[in-house]
Amino acid sequence: MSPDGRDDYDWLYEDERRARPSPAPPSRRSNDLPPPQLPPPDGRAGAAARPHKRRGKGRYLWLVLIAWVAFLVAVPFIAWGQVTKVDATPEGERPASRPGRTFVIVGSDARPDDTGRGRTDSILLLHTGSGPSVLTSIPRDSQVDVPGYGRTKINAAYAYGGPPLLVQTIEQNTGVHVDGYVEIGFTGLVDVVDALGGIEICPQEALQDADSGLDIPAGCQMVDGETALAYSRNRKSYASGDIARGEAQREVIGAIGAKARSPWTVLNPVRYYRAAVQTGESLAVGDDVSLFSFVRFAWSLSGAMGGNALNCTVPIADMQVNWDSTRASAFFEHIANDTTGQLGDLCTSDGLPPS
């Protein structure tokens, strides 16, 4: 043994000790869990979360759809609350009710809640039934028998006795039972057209009229409420006067209906709400007209200028607006019997026989 205490033969094993590897650390068992911040290797947690997210989005979309449908349904009820109800039921004997429904539409220069009656600038009949819908203009200067007042202009009936006398006059001169009365305030027409964002009209010639304030070029164009009102009131720019004005009024009604039925109106909540409420504020209806029957009327009126609907002026014998006794009688008989598909040449835009 050497003086330092080491075995004299240890040197023989020194190299072997240095070459011997140190023991390896114990390996992790294959079933050890991964660190908690990492998902399991098979990704099952992510797969389970995705359907949950999809279900959440689906519920949200259903809630939005239900709210939208509720809004669309609620707005007509809100608008109906703005409509003025008036007594329009005439006294005495009336024509029997027949198939189909016929409404009187009056355009007045007064708002429905005004104390005065104002004037009737337009009178129309809308008939709907099994055949084509028919929108008929009755010129306000038409010479007819007004009960209690003799033969005079038909709009005098409104001035003398309001809606009941006007309905009675129409029924006795046409033989058609009137199922409902609707009065449109022309000043409210401005608000309705503006709420819809304007309408398109297509005059065939340039028109200027100092009384109505109309000044427009020929051709199709978008107009606001003020211009649409002036276009509806103008008659002095036409050679046929009140006859041509009736045609323009039907055009405006058709344009309003087309814009109101447009998907862009229904899909725009602000426009939809404003148009409905403004329409309600400008209307007066007979107190026997229900919301359901009015909705049917409005839907028919909005489509009266398109499709297979007919647009007519009551058959007249001359430009003094005397009705043609033979043709007018046959015309209203078809309306009363709901055989509008057989009107044929009795329906013309100006009321005169086809040339």
Side-chain angles (χ1 to χ4, degrees):
M1 182 177 291
S2 64
D4 60 3
R6 294 177 57 190
D7 193 320
D8 290 338
Y9 299 100
D10 284 346
W11 63 272
L12 293 172
Y13 304 101
E14 192 70 29
D15 289 340
E16 183 181 347
R17 290 192 188 103
R18 281 198 299 267
R20 185 183 300 162
S22 58
S27 60
R28 192 175 66 191
R29 289 177 298 175
S30 61
N31 62 346
D32 283 351
L33 294 174
Q37 69 271 21
L38 297 177
D42 61 4
R44 283 176 296 181
R50 283 191 293 272
H52 177 72
K53 279 187 175 181
R54 285 196 292 268
R55 286 195 298 269
K57 290 180 179 179
R59 293 192 192 99
Y60 176 75
L61 291 175
W62 271 109
L63 287 174
V64 171
L65 180 61
I66 292 171
W68 182 252
V69 172
F71 171 75
L72 294 178
V73 172
V75 167
F77 285 92
I78 296 172
W80 185 248
Q82 310 301 312
V83 174
T84 301
K85 293 295 189 74
V86 297
D87 177 18
T89 305
E91 298 178 354
E93 189 175 350
R94 305 180 62 186
S97 182
R98 302 218 187 154
R101 294 181 63 81
T102 303
F103 278 78
V104 172
I105 307 168
V106 173
S108 169
D109 62 359
R111 285 191 178 272
D113 56 357
D114 286 348
T115 55
R117 292 197 184 106
R119 297 173 302 167
T120 54
D121 274 348
S122 65
I123 304 170
L124 300 99
L125 291 183
L126 173 67
H127 178 84
T128 61
S130 59
S133 296
V134 182
L135 185 62
T136 305
S137 294
I138 299 179
R140 68 174 191 175
D141 293 339
S142 295
Q143 298 291 318
V144 297
D145 292 322
V146 177
Y149 295 90
R151 192 164 184 83
T152 185
K153 295 179 180 180
I154 194 169
N155 70 334
Y158 182 87
Y160 291 146
L165 184 57
L166 178 61
V167 171
Q168 184 181 20
T169 300
I170 291 173
E171 288 188 338
Q172 291 194 9
N173 284 272
T174 65
V176 175
H177 178 86
V178 172
D179 298 287
Y181 173 89
V182 178
E183 182 175 329
I184 304 172
F186 272 145
T187 50
L189 177 69
V190 175
D191 298 330
V192 173
V193 172
D194 288 341
L196 289 169
I199 60 171
E200 183 181 57
I201 59 173
C202 297
Q204 296 182 359
E205 56 184 305
L207 300 171
Q208 294 86 31
D209 177 46
D211 289 349
S212 64
L214 182 66
D215 187 0
I216 56 174
C220 294
Q221 55 203 283
M222 291 294 295
V223 298
D224 60 10
E226 290 286 351
T227 305
L229 175 61
Y231 187 62
S232 299
R233 281 179 159 170
N234 167 56
R235 64 189 178 103
K236 294 185 177 178
S237 298
Y238 303 114
S240 54
D242 204 35
I243 304 297
R245 175 167 63 176
E247 297 178 60
Q249 290 168 348
R250 296 197 304 271
E251 181 184 0
V252 168
I253 288 174
I256 291 174
K259 196 67 175 287
R261 288 167 57 137
S262 165
W264 297 114
T265 297
V266 178
L267 293 175
N268 184 329
V270 175
R271 176 183 290 180
Y272 178 70
Y273 179 84
R274 286 187 59 207
V277 172
Q278 293 290 357
T279 300
E281 291 177 349
S282 68
L283 290 179
V285 303
D287 52 17
D288 57 347
V289 176
S290 67
L291 173 58
F292 177 72
S293 63
F294 180 79
V295 169
R296 290 176 57 193
F297 155 80
W299 185 258
S300 300
L301 181 62
S302 65
M305 293 296 292
N308 65 343
L310 301 176
N311 292 273
C312 323
T313 296
V314 58
I316 57 175
D318 51 51
M319 297 310 293
Q320 282 69 48
V321 205
N322 290 296
W323 292 4
D324 184 318
S325 58
T326 301
R327 294 175 59 246
S329 177
F331 178 90
F332 288 118
E333 185 175 353
H334 283 303
I335 298 292
N337 293 328
D338 193 32
T339 54
T340 56
Q342 302 176 27
L343 281 171
D345 291 344
L346 293 172
C347 173
T348 59
S349 61
D350 58 6
L352 296 170
S355 54

